[in-house]
């Protein structure tokens, strides 16, 4: 038996998954919530934009989960021993950069910075750099439009340089003490293989291309001149960052004796170059040309690959050569909040009971409603809009409520709002020539919420498939590990072969109901009216029929089923 | 001692108030919830538009409350005896018409119609006639624009002819059996004085002018030709309705022996012609030229009087000679839901606890928020828009919610939404030359909710006064009774004299805070953008800055008070 390990560093916890290379079967798994902060996230009640993580939690979490997963694998599979593990892959959240010293040690691990939130990892959902993001966007729009073309036209506050520039502005002591900055998907494989020194650390193509405007066309990272215009110190940082980046089939290095000891594995096995969870999750779900993988959790990531691209797709947050599968353009889109919107409603607005019980109760009532019946329509922008409008400074909207509106109607409208957002993304891709023949869903929400999948099928008019594995990110990392290891070590020589052996979808799929789809087409038209009216500058739209159209759709929905 | 009785027939209950004529002091009072339906309203879960009342409940309620109020008055005031009562006044909800037979007996009291909802009183908030309202509006707009000019440009589904025409369409048996239709404010004084026969029943000017397009200019009710175009039977009904209407200083008739016996009063005392609750409420609150009376309850009525009017005020639901004070134009405006919106949120959406406890808890948290701090903005149209847009087919809207939005923030935004709606009405009046120098509030919500009054002061930039009496409608009816009785019977010969003796405001008033007013001016501008975009046909408005402006206002509100 040959196996690989996939580590999945999520927003709140790290998972270790041990997978049988031949079948993709899960041999053992374990998960550990990060120790620091609230559910692993350091926040600040006075500034909702702040979200940081203690990098020591990542290392500690790997050790605990690997030992647990190995024990479980051995218990469940008598023939399994730790030396069956021939490689390690790593996926993480991102952009989650952290400052490192000249030896590649996180500043957060030095006593003088241990308590300083600015020396920690700046979690993807940290939005403190929104002004810096606007500044970067403005500067690029003026003189460097090519930088923006690959990242949706707007540089996000969630991304690498927005965060580093914000750190430079608010905490120059941390900035000055940092020799370089790395994404945690760069740092973790390097840490495991003693390649953290900036000269040897292999940087993730996925992170570099999607979050740091890295592109061979213009010689890698944005020019020193560009960065220096934002701040001379940022310009000077450029040469201490990186000049090359690597796809996930690349070996980052080989497991050190020290880490082999801590984890209970064999020293010298290859560790693949890291990537973001969504990208490796797409691999784990079976992404290939024509397949859209939707990873639906607190937020949503949409991932596609394409061998050829005629032109850039505006509003798509990332278009990067090799960011998912080597040899293909990786296309990334997404919605800034999906499950988070439902959680907000259940936990903050309608606290009828315990969280899960409320979700279940609302879902069971909402599932009985017909499309259009509530008369409600919601925009899914409670956490901004990531794809198409690429604007964090958009907010939620609910229209159509009367004195009779029920919580389950709002809940369903929120789910439908995210489905309309999903369809807007699909239409944007197809408009620019990226065909979508299949949709595979994965992630926590798609596992749990049948109503949501049926609504997504009805709204998009497409079949919704679900990945068989509930841990596609970790599985994708394990697949990358198998490819990095290569056939000679019991792995595979390419992703096609590896995915064909290791990826599967569930038998149950969700088919669109044509009648429901028709109603949703009407509602989607209204959604797009609101989308453009509130989201697109200068789009003066006549909204005076929106409320009446919603009432008409509602009355039709009620009349047809008396 | 001389006293009068004011009966106030509300949406859920009837109140009897016995008042000392010399001072306006309350001698005794009692209230009784109508027996039929849910809290006195007959509804139908399959059609939210239906709201009816059993007219027998009105009569029964008068008897119970009068006896209780008389007992209380005697107990509290040893010198009081029932023969101190020298007159009766009546206010009711409206338009609340009911079908009567040739003797003036409600069809609902005949066995063959007893259970038929269409034979009952059609409560003001019954909206089943919305299609008929649109039909009446369309016909009038085409050939009879003068009919619409006095009622805001749009004939409402809440009004007299919409309901009668709807009855004709859905239940011709009831329509055919009805000799005539009356407002309950016509019927109740007539019932007490044996003047229900259509030839002698004195119809309320207030009801006729505000709800039935009655105006001396065109010879009373709309022409037979107009009504016949809607339906020949409606045309034929016209001559069985009425040709004259009367102000509230008119004596409708004298209390019969039979009713004197039932109520425990002296036979032969005068009963004043009835009017709607808001109009008599305005009198009870002290309405005079330059004074806006706001009656804030589940919905809001705004009442003004003006000796002269240059031109009609578009979007104001009623402009009627003598509908409030004889000799003045009575102007009526309003918001279709105010307290109802807060109740909806507390009872349906955020059921954290018992109704009153939740209101109090949310209010105490919401009161700590600064204007603009929530980033939220709400339209107050959960029950349509009564004034300016005059459109029942508008619905609620909330914008600005994030994943951090709290229930108390939404609650405050809903209160603020109603305040912006109130300011829009004030601005509309002033734009058309009706000066407002004073605002007196009354009604349940203004009694209970200090935060709301402060927000109304801050939003409008005007001092908010509160009527001393908590029963201004019943007090207004008692004042009308005192004027109808006249000085010779211990009453008054005119309203000025009567109000000066009987109306008072509380010592505590709410002063606008100039800083808050400034923030609210910014928010009001955004409110009007949404108001016009969603409410005015063809008003293509650029809304793309609304969400961002709300965030900017929010950040300013937070920054100024760090």
């Amino acid at each position: 038996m040959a196996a690989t390990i996939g580590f999945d560093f999520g927003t709140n916890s790290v998972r270790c998954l041990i997978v049988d290379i031949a079948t993709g079967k899960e041999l053992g798994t374990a998960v550990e919530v990060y120790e620091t902060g609230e559910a692993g996230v350091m926040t600040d009640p006075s500034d909702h934009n702040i979200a940081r993580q203690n990098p020591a939690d990542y290392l500690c979490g790997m050790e605990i989960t690997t030992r647990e997963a190995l024990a479980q694998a051995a218990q469940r599979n008598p023939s399994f021993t730790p030396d069956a593990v021939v490689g390690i892959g790593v996926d993480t959240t991102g952009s989650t950069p952290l400052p490192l010293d000249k030896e590649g040690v996180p500043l957060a691990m030095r006593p003088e910075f241990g308590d300083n939130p600015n020396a920690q990892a700046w979690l993807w959902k940290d939005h403190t750099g929104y002004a810096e993001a606007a500044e970067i966007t403005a500067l690029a729009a003026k003189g460097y439009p090519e930088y923006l073309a690959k990242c949706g036209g707007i540089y996000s506050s969630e991304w690498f340089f927005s965060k580093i520039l914000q750190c430079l502005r608010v905490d120059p002591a941390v900035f000055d003490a940092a020799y370089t900055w790395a994404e945690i998907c760069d740092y973790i494989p390097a840490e495991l293989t003693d390649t953290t020194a900036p000269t040897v650390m292999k940087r993730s193509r996925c992170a570099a291309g999607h979050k740091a405007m890295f592109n061979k066309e213009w010689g890698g990272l944005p020019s020193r001149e560009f960065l220096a215009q934002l701040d001379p110190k940022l310009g000077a940082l450029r040469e201490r960052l990186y000049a090359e980046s690597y796809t996930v089939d690349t070996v980052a290095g080989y497991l050190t004796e020290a880490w082999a000891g801590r984890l209970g594995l064999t020293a010298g096995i290859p560790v693949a170059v890291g990537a973001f969870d969504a990208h490796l999750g797409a691999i784990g779900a079976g992404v290939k040309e024509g397949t859209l993988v939707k990873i639906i959790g607190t937020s949503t990531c949409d991932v596609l690959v394409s061998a050829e691209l005629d032109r850039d797709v505006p509003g798509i947050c990332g278009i990067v050569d090799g960011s998912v599968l080597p040899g293909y353009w990786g296309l990334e889109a997404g919605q800034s909040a999906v499950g988070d919107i439902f959680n907000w409603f259940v936990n903050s607005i309608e606290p009828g009971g315990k969280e899960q019980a409320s979700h279940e109760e609302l879902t069971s009532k909402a599932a009985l409603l017909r499309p259009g019946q509530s008369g409600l329509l919601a925009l899914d922008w409670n956490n901004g809009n990531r794809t198409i409008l690429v604007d964090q400074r958009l907010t939620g909207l609910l229209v159509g409520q009367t004195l009779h509106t029920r919580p389950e109607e709002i809940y369903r409208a929120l789910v439908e709002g995210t489905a309309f957002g999903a369809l807007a993304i699909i239409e944007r891709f197809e408009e620019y020539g990226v065909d979508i023949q299949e949709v595979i869903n994965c992630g926590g929400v798609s596992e749990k919420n049948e109503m949501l999948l049926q609504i997504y099928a009805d709204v998009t008019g497409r079949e919704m498939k679900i990945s068989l594995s509930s841990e596609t990110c970790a599985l994708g990392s394990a697949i990358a590990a198998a490819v990095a290891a290569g056939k000679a070590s019991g792995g595979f020589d390419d992703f096609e072969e590896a995915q064909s052996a290791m990826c599967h979808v569930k038998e149950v799929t969700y088919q669109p109901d044509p009648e429901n789809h028709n109603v949703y087409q009407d509602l989607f038209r209204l959604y797009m009216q609101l989308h453009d009216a509130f989201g697109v500058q200068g789009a003066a739209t006549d909204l005076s029929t929106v409320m009446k159209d919603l009432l008409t759709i509602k009355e039709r929905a009620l009349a047809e089923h008396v």
Side-chain angles (χ1 to χ4, degrees), chain A:
Chain A
M1 174 187 287
T4 49
I5 280 181
F7 285 116
D8 169 37
F9 290 86
T11 300
N12 310 108
S13 59
V14 55
R15 174 176 297 275
C16 173
L17 180 72
I18 307 174
V19 179
D20 181 343
I21 290 181
T23 61
K25 191 190 152 200
E26 181 179 318
L27 299 171
T29 188
V31 66
E32 177 77 9
V33 173
Y34 307 128
E35 209 180 303
T36 314
E38 193 184 339
V41 181
M42 301 160 72
T43 56
D44 182 339
S46 75
D47 183 354
H48 288 310
N49 288 318
I50 290 181
R52 308 282 157 88
Q53 284 184 327
N54 180 351
D57 292 348
Y58 305 137
L59 309 186
C60 183
M62 273 198 290
E63 189 172 338
I64 294 169
T65 56
T66 306
R67 293 195 164 273
E68 255 185 73
L70 285 172
Q72 194 187 68
Q75 194 188 7
R76 287 193 191 162
N77 314 275
S79 67
F80 176 84
T81 53
D83 58 10
V85 177
V86 301
I88 295 174
V90 173
D91 73 82
T92 72
T93 65
S95 176
T96 304
L98 81 174
L100 303 176
D101 67 16
K102 206 166 181 175
E103 284 70 47
V105 178
L107 293 191
M109 294 181 186
R110 285 169 33 173
E112 67 269 39
F113 291 116
D115 293 337
N116 186 334
N118 302 317
Q120 314 299 316
W122 293 48
L123 188 60
W124 66 276
K125 66 177 174 180
D126 186 294
H127 289 146
T128 48
Y130 65 85
E132 287 73 16
E135 200 180 330
I136 293 169
T137 301
L139 181 64
K142 219 170 54 185
Y144 309 80
E146 66 278 17
Y147 293 171
L148 295 180
K150 305 290 177 200
C151 67
I154 297 174
Y155 195 79
S156 164
S157 61
E158 293 186 359
W159 297 349
F160 194 67
F161 287 115
S162 302
K163 286 168 168 161
I164 297 176
L165 186 54
Q166 160 76 2
C167 178
L168 194 166
R169 298 263 165 79
V170 298
D171 199 341
V174 166
F175 182 88
D176 292 343
Y179 179 82
T180 191
W181 288 69
E183 290 283 346
I184 58 171
C185 68
D186 302 332
Y187 165 70
I188 290 163
E191 166 65 32
L192 291 174
T193 58
D194 193 18
T195 57
T196 57
T199 46
V200 295
M201 188 190 290
K202 285 209 170 67
R203 304 294 191 134
S204 159
R205 166 70 54 83
C206 173
H210 283 290
K211 310 298 179 187
M213 300 183 280
F214 182 97
N215 193 305
K216 286 283 171 186
E217 267 182 43
W218 51 82
L221 290 169
S223 71
R224 178 171 180 144
E225 175 210 18
F226 172 82
L227 296 173
Q229 281 181 68
L230 295 164
D231 193 294
K233 284 184 177 180
L234 196 66
L237 176 67
R238 185 181 188 273
E239 64 187 29
R240 308 196 308 272
L241 292 171
Y242 50 91
E244 191 48 88
S245 68
Y246 299 89
T247 55
V248 287
D249 53 334
T250 314
V251 176
Y254 298 90
L255 194 66
T256 63
E257 289 284 350
W259 270 106
R262 280 177 77 174
L263 302 179
L265 295 172
T266 314
I269 61 172
V271 178
V273 162
F276 291 144
D277 38 18
H279 299 72
L280 280 165
I283 291 177
V287 76
K288 59 181 185 293
E289 205 157 19
T291 297
L292 167 65
V293 172
K294 289 184 71 65
I295 305 164
I296 311 178
T298 53
S299 63
T300 290
C301 254
D302 297 327
V303 179
L304 285 163
V305 297
S306 184
E308 285 183 30
L309 264 189
D310 299 344
R311 48 189 172 147
D312 292 329
V313 187
I316 298 303
C317 350
I319 304 174
V320 175
D321 177 20
S323 68
V324 182
L325 292 176
Y328 291 85
W329 291 100
L331 303 169
E332 187 198 345
Q335 292 168 267
S336 309
V338 174
D340 266 350
I341 297 183
F342 319 146
N343 289 337
W344 161 71
F345 184 68
V346 163
N347 296 330
S348 297
I349 305 306
E350 202 273 329
K354 286 195 180 164
E355 176 169 347
Q356 201 43 47
S358 294
H359 276 296
E360 281 163 13
E361 195 188 322
L362 285 168
T363 302
S364 70
K365 288 182 184 170
L368 300 176
L369 299 169
R370 290 182 290 279
Q373 178 180 343
S374 70
L376 296 174
L377 184 60
L379 288 178
D380 51 322
W381 299 349
N382 287 233
N383 196 26
N385 176 294
R386 186 184 291 164
T387 291
I388 298 186
L389 300 169
V390 200
D391 192 343
Q392 287 296 337
R393 287 176 75 75
L394 293 173
T395 53
L397 182 144
L398 181 70
V399 61
Q401 51 272 43
T402 69
L403 297 174
H404 303 288
T405 298
R406 302 281 318 152
E408 60 269 22
E409 294 179 314
I410 297 180
Y411 191 79
R412 186 177 173 113
L414 295 175
V415 172
E416 289 169 342
T418 68
F420 296 135
L423 178 54
I425 293 171
I426 288 174
E427 295 209 336
R428 173 58 58 103
F429 275 119
E430 295 215 312
E431 197 185 330
Y432 284 82
V434 182
D435 269 359
I436 296 173
Q437 277 135 30
E438 179 187 52
V439 182
I440 301 177
N441 296 278
C442 55
V445 171
S446 73
E447 294 274 317
K448 282 182 291 198
N449 199 326
E450 293 189 15
M451 178 185 77
L452 176 137
L453 290 166
Q454 188 58 55
I455 289 173
Y456 276 44
D458 290 346
V459 164
T460 61
R462 292 162 187 268
E463 181 184 18
M464 292 290 134
K465 298 180 183 175
I466 307 118
S467 163
L468 183 65
S469 167
S470 60
E471 302 300 339
T472 52
C473 299
L475 175 60
S477 299
I479 292 172
V483 176
K487 198 166 264 175
S489 308
F492 298 100
D493 282 340
D494 64 49
F495 279 97
E496 201 180 333
E497 213 180 321
Q499 285 180 295
S500 154
M502 298 173 77
C503 298
H504 312 281
V505 297
K506 288 188 182 169
E507 272 182 41
V508 177
T509 69
Y510 295 82
Q511 301 290 340
D513 174 299
E515 244 182 76
N516 291 349
H517 181 58
N518 279 343
V519 178
Y520 279 133
Q521 287 286 91
D522 289 343
L523 288 169
F524 180 63
R525 184 182 53 76
L526 297 176
Y527 173 92
M528 288 308 295
Q529 272 188 36
L530 295 177
H531 177 282
D532 292 349
F534 284 91
V536 180
Q537 218 181 335
T541 318
D542 184 357
L543 299 176
S544 65
T545 58
V546 169
M547 291 171 178
K548 294 174 176 62
D549 288 352
L550 285 170
L551 288 175
T552 304
I553 293 168
K554 172 182 182 165
E555 284 150 7
R556 220 160 51 204
L558 289 169
E560 276 168 10
H561 295 262
V562 165

